[in-house]
């Protein structure tokens, strides 16, 4: 397809996360189960740096154009200098690091872990770990918009925090979906978030607790297919909001990516199917590109792994399909 590029030098094992720079539309990080974080320039399709870890990397993020962070099964939190390839060990959780976000307002890295904590880090301080916040369950996903942090946990629990006031959550919610939370993304306009479950459903939620705002929340079925009268249902592995238009993309183990307009509750586009499940997607900072990680996601266990292809990462140019429908 002319509108997408396949990145050279992809990881050797499943992609865990794709993440674009907050300021440079061509800079992409890819973390993977092959124990690496790779740093790409997508404009020239070059791998600029590769960082090796002791175990699978589950999550990564940028703070600026020259610094990134990573975490995963070895429980450590690392700062990656993208220019010099120097790695600084900031500290660690007591179990796998499952998610991370960088607050540019606070110059703080926020990490979540299966050890049931959130930790805040200041990479410039002599002791990087600034605070620890204990949670009722394992952290699966976090996302941050402005100063609002959403934490998706095991047992379908959600906490919503103001990152400037972490002594208690601003709101505690239960998932609007019946099954385990597999994905989370905050709206670009800061009004709410979307969640995806392992059972082919997406929920759209709003932060404002007023009854008027809560009436707008809804859930819908997706990433499903009927084959010979049998309903097949796949996990919604990843969600990403467009930074300009606030529409959102969803990706599933069915190998499809769809674009949705939650304001009018309609699908705008389904892209042609990829050859394997999609564990992670991300829009770049100006919304002109969508990164799509394509790799086996263990939905079929060991058996499926035997026939899995090498992972690939595609970078797709976006068009009118990401714009909300007029009228």
């Amino acid at each position: 397809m002319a509108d997408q590029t396949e990145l050279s030098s992809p990881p050797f094992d499943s992609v865990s996360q794709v993440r674009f720079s907050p300021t440079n539309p061509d800079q992409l990080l890819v973390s993977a189960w092959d124990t690496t974080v790779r740093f790409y320039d997508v404009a020239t399709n070059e791998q600029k740096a590769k960082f090796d870890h002791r175990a699978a990397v589950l999550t990564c993020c940028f703070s600026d154009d020259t610094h990134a962070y990573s975490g995963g099964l070895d429980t450590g939190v690392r700062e990656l200098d993208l220019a010099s390839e120097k790695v600084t060990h900031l500290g660690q959780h007591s179990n796998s690091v499952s998610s991370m976000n960088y607050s540019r307002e606070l110059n703080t890295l926020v990490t979540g872990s299966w050890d049931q904590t959130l930790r805040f880090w200041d990479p410039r301080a002599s002791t990087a770990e600034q605070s620890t916040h204990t949670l009722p369950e394992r952290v699966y996903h976090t996302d941050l918009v402005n100063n609002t942090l959403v934490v998706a946990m095991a047992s379908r629990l959600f906490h919503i925090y103001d990152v400037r006031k972490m002594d208690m959550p601003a709101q505690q919610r239960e998932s609007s979906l019946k099954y385990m939370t597999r994905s989370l993304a905050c709206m670009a306009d800061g009004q709410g978030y979307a969640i995806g479950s392992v059972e082919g459903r997406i929920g759209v939620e709003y932060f404002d607790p007023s009854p008027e705002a809560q009436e707008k929340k809804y859930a819908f079925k997706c990433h499903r297919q009927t084959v010979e009268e049998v309903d097949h249902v796949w996990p919604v592995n990843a969600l990403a909001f467009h930074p300009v238009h606030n529409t959102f993309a969803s990706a599933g183990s069915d190998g499809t990516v769809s674009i949705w307009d939650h304001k009018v509750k309609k699908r705008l586009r389904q892209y042609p199917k990829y050859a394997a499940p999609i564990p992670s997607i991300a829009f770049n900072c100006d919304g002109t590109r969508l990164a799509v990680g394509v790799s086996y996601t263990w939905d079929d266990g060991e058996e499926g792994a035997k026939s899995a292809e090498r992972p690939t990462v595609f970078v797709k140019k976006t068009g009118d399909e990401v714009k909300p429908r007029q009228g």
Side-chain angles (χ1 to χ4, degrees):
M1 290 156 74
D3 64 345
Q4 71 176 7
T5 307
E6 183 176 338
L7 289 187
S8 57
S9 329
F12 288 99
D13 201 348
S14 297
V15 172
S16 54
Q17 198 162 33
V18 292
R19 272 280 180 68
F20 274 106
S21 157
T23 49
N24 184 324
D26 297 329
Q27 292 186 343
L28 179 72
L29 291 173
V30 178
S31 60
W33 286 80
D34 69 352
T35 76
T36 66
V37 172
R38 293 161 194 262
F39 172 51
Y40 298 94
D41 181 325
V42 301
T44 58
N45 195 358
E46 280 177 278
Q47 180 179 292
K48 295 287 200 187
K50 177 166 81 85
F51 298 89
D52 291 307
H53 295 63
R54 289 201 300 273
V57 187
L58 300 183
T59 181
C60 60
C61 71
F62 284 90
S63 58
D64 55 38
D65 286 353
T66 52
H67 295 92
Y69 300 91
S70 64
L73 296 189
D74 69 9
T75 75
V77 176
R78 292 171 177 74
E79 182 177 55
L80 315 175
D81 186 313
L82 300 172
S84 69
E85 298 195 40
K86 182 168 157 283
V87 176
T88 306
H89 188 81
L90 298 182
Q92 60 202 90
H93 279 268
S94 55
N95 203 330
S96 299
V97 182
S98 52
S99 65
M100 53 175 53
N101 302 92
Y102 192 84
S103 166
R104 295 173 75 200
E105 278 86 353
L106 301 179
N107 287 317
T108 297
L109 177 70
V110 181
T111 57
S113 166
W114 298 346
D115 70 6
Q116 304 189 7
T117 68
L118 290 170
R119 302 191 191 210
F120 281 44
W121 312 81
D122 179 352
R124 298 156 307 173
S126 53
T127 306
E129 189 179 320
Q130 300 290 293
S131 61
T132 300
H133 309 280
T134 304
L135 293 159
E137 267 291 2
R138 298 185 303 286
V139 176
Y140 286 161
H141 309 284
T142 56
D143 201 14
L144 180 65
V145 59
N146 308 320
N147 285 306
T148 303
L149 175 71
V150 182
V151 184
M153 292 171 271
S155 303
R156 300 171 41 256
L157 296 180
F158 283 80
H159 279 186
I160 300 167
Y161 290 93
D162 179 331
V163 287
R164 298 161 299 187
K165 196 176 165 309
M166 288 297 296
D167 54 330
M168 61 183 292
Q171 296 182 53
Q172 300 181 41
R173 295 183 180 182
E174 192 172 277
S175 174
S176 55
L177 307 177
K178 289 204 294 275
Y179 292 86
M180 180 177 144
T181 310
R182 177 58 75 88
S183 46
L184 163 72
C186 287
M187 293 177 187
D189 66 3
Q191 298 295 302
Y193 58 97
I195 59 176
S197 81
V198 294
E199 186 257 347
R201 256 174 229 267
I202 290 172
V204 176
E205 303 264 346
Y206 292 88
F207 293 134
D208 179 348
S210 74
E212 304 84 69
Q214 289 305 307
E215 265 173 25
K216 292 192 296 187
K217 79 176 195 180
Y218 74 105
F220 61 95
K221 295 176 183 177
C222 51
H223 297 280
R224 293 163 179 244
Q225 196 185 349
T226 305
V227 182
E228 293 172 0
E229 297 182 19
V230 178
D231 290 338
H232 294 263
V233 180
W234 283 277
V236 182
N237 295 324
L239 297 164
F241 277 85
H242 192 278
V244 179
H245 302 301
N246 201 42
T247 51
F248 72 94
S250 69
S253 288
D254 59 343
T256 68
V257 176
S258 286
I259 308 289
W260 309 90
D261 181 349
H262 59 280
K263 290 277 193 291
V264 296
K265 304 184 179 178
K266 285 201 163 55
R267 177 157 63 188
L268 301 174
R269 174 73 58 88
Q270 181 173 311
Y271 293 129
K273 195 172 168 186
Y274 290 91
I278 302 164
S280 184
I281 52 173
F283 284 108
N284 66 353
C285 59
D286 62 8
T288 56
R289 293 190 173 99
L290 177 72
V292 181
V294 180
S295 59
Y296 183 57
T297 47
W298 292 89
D299 300 295
D300 301 316
E302 290 284 347
E303 209 41 51
K306 289 175 190 159
S307 58
E309 311 253 324
R310 181 171 176 182
T312 49
V313 178
F314 292 97
V315 177
K316 201 171 177 47
K317 287 198 173 92
T318 59
D320 287 342
E321 76 281 359
V322 298
K323 295 177 182 164
R325 295 237 171 99
Q326 297 307 313

